[in-house]
Amino acid sequence: MARNDGDDEDEALRWDGDDDATLAPGWRAVGTPVPVTAPGEGTTDAAASVDGEPDGDTADAADQPGSAELVLLGVFGGVYLLYTLGWILSVLRVQNPAADPVGQFMFSLGLWLAVLAPALWFGVTFALTRGRPRARLVWMLVGAVVLLPVAFVAGVTA
């Protein structure tokens, strides 16, 4: 079996473009290092680019929730889903006492808004507290207390 040059042996272990400096994190182009200033002269943020604007990757990373926040949002999402199911079961047990059509409509509307309230609270809280994780978790906790389907939990039948 004939043996090739040493370059061919290492070629199988390399991928074209492995030595490209633009693929390295923190670099925008070949030969443009991140500027570093002396302490007290301004920013020493490694994410700052040559033109002074922050790198897009770090700006997106600051908006992303942490793992603890994601776990708590999942727990609150599950609680609100259970609340929605509890409100559905509560609504199905209630008889409409209104005699006139407007009263019946308003009673039914109120019942179905009660069913939708947990999902609406979760969605509105999530949308309005973007970028403020502490406020988001506080409002999720407030909703978990306020929207509790008391009739379902207490076992009250109408």
Side-chain angles (χ1 to χ4, degrees):
M1 182 160 139
R3 215 178 134 137
N4 293 334
D5 294 340
D7 293 338
D8 291 338
E9 288 178 4
D10 293 337
E11 194 171 314
L13 302 174
R14 295 175 30 98
W15 193 271
D16 281 340
D18 275 349
D19 54 354
D20 189 2
T22 61
L23 299 177
W27 291 81
R28 289 198 180 253
V30 176
T32 57
V34 176
V36 178
T37 59
E41 286 185 13
T43 182
T44 58
D45 186 14
S49 68
V50 175
D51 56 359
E53 294 181 13
D55 190 11
D57 295 338
T58 57
D60 291 339
D63 292 340
Q64 293 179 351
S67 43
E69 183 184 357
L70 286 175
V71 168
L72 286 173
L73 285 175
V75 168
F76 280 122
V79 166
Y80 286 136
L81 180 64
L82 289 175
Y83 281 8
T84 301
L85 294 175
W87 278 109
I88 289 172
L89 294 174
S90 296
V91 163
L92 293 175
R93 290 191 265 171
V94 174
Q95 298 297 320
N96 192 342
D100 60 313
V102 174
Q104 288 178 348
F105 172 74
M106 294 304 289
F107 189 79
S108 296
L109 179 66
L111 291 178
W112 290 110
L113 285 176
V115 170
L116 292 174
L120 289 174
W121 187 286
F122 186 84
V124 168
T125 301
F126 194 79
L128 293 180
T129 58
R130 174 163 276 153
R132 299 178 309 193
R134 184 169 292 164
R136 177 176 287 167
L137 295 176
V138 166
W139 281 109
M140 291 285 184
L141 183 63
V142 168
V145 172
V146 170
L147 298 171
L148 182 71
V150 177
F152 178 73
V153 173
V156 176
T157 59

